[in-house]
Amino acid sequence: FNTAESSLVCNKILYAISCLIRNHAAAEESFSLQYASTVLPKALESDRDSLISRAIFLCNALITSDYCTERRIASLVSTVLPVVLAKRGGPYSTSTDCLENTIHLLLTVLGSEFGYFQCTGAFRSNLNAMIDYLRSLDFLRDNHELLLLTSVLQQPATILYPRSASNS
């Protein structure tokens, strides 16, 4: 992903993969469990906003798919969150697409019980730093999903996932 040409090619390849696997249960599962751990982090670490947005979009699509399993969520969360949240000073760039896709992904992940506990456990300080950064950007200050994300994180886990709280 070092040159503009290779980044463009990678972006097109990721787009093609995304088109081929989405809405096909076996293909989604195979990609998520066998290839995502290699492909998505490399794309997220790129300096090309279009490639980052494409990777975040694909991850989001795989998590929100009708065919999504807990195993897939676990695999994608453990693959993608460390890369996304490692950029404590702010994600990627100030590209509106990257930032809005990041917010949407975090909200999607927090919407699953496993993702919520991953985010609020091991990644809590990184997640808080990311949200603080996002809230500091004027053009995102009133973003509905960012406000919702902040609200979700302020809720106790026992309210969001009472079944888990009763099992502990």
Side-chain angles (χ1 to χ4, degrees), residues 7-162:
S7 179
L8 181 62
V9 170
C10 290
N11 193 5
K12 290 181 182 226
I13 290 170
L14 194 55
Y15 177 72
I17 291 169
S18 178
C19 290
L20 288 170
I21 66 172
R22 281 183 290 130
N23 296 315
H24 186 281
E28 286 181 1
E29 200 71 3
S30 177
F31 177 82
S32 297
L33 299 177
Q34 295 176 8
Y35 303 104
S37 63
T38 304
V39 173
L40 294 177
K42 285 195 182 292
L44 290 168
E45 291 167 348
S46 166
D47 60 350
R48 304 291 180 197
D49 293 337
S50 59
L51 187 55
I52 295 165
S53 285
R54 178 99 46 222
I56 292 173
F57 175 84
L58 177 55
C59 185
N60 226 338
L62 293 169
I63 290 174
T64 58
S65 166
D66 290 341
Y67 309 109
C68 190
T69 62
E70 282 189 21
R71 185 174 175 211
R72 181 188 305 176
I73 292 172
S75 176
L76 290 170
V77 165
S78 64
T79 296
V80 172
L81 277 186
V83 180
V84 169
L85 296 177
K87 302 179 183 231
R88 299 177 124 228
Y92 329 116
S93 71
T94 55
S95 157
T96 303
D97 283 346
C98 284
L99 296 171
E100 288 180 345
N101 285 339
T102 299
I103 293 167
H104 191 72
L105 175 65
L106 292 172
L107 197 52
T108 300
V109 168
L110 286 169
S112 77
E113 191 170 343
F114 178 84
Y116 176 86
F117 286 106
Q118 280 290 102
C119 279
T120 58
F123 302 116
R124 183 62 181 224
S125 65
N126 296 51
L127 180 62
N128 288 337
M130 175 70 76
I131 290 172
D132 288 345
Y133 170 76
L134 294 169
R135 289 175 58 188
S136 75
L137 301 171
D138 285 338
F139 69 95
L140 284 176
R141 189 157 296 152
D142 296 324
N143 179 287
H144 173 71
E145 287 189 327
L146 182 56
L147 297 172
L148 184 58
L149 181 62
T150 305
S151 170
V152 166
L153 286 171
Q154 292 171 348
Q155 298 295 319
T158 54
I159 290 174
L160 295 171
Y161 299 105

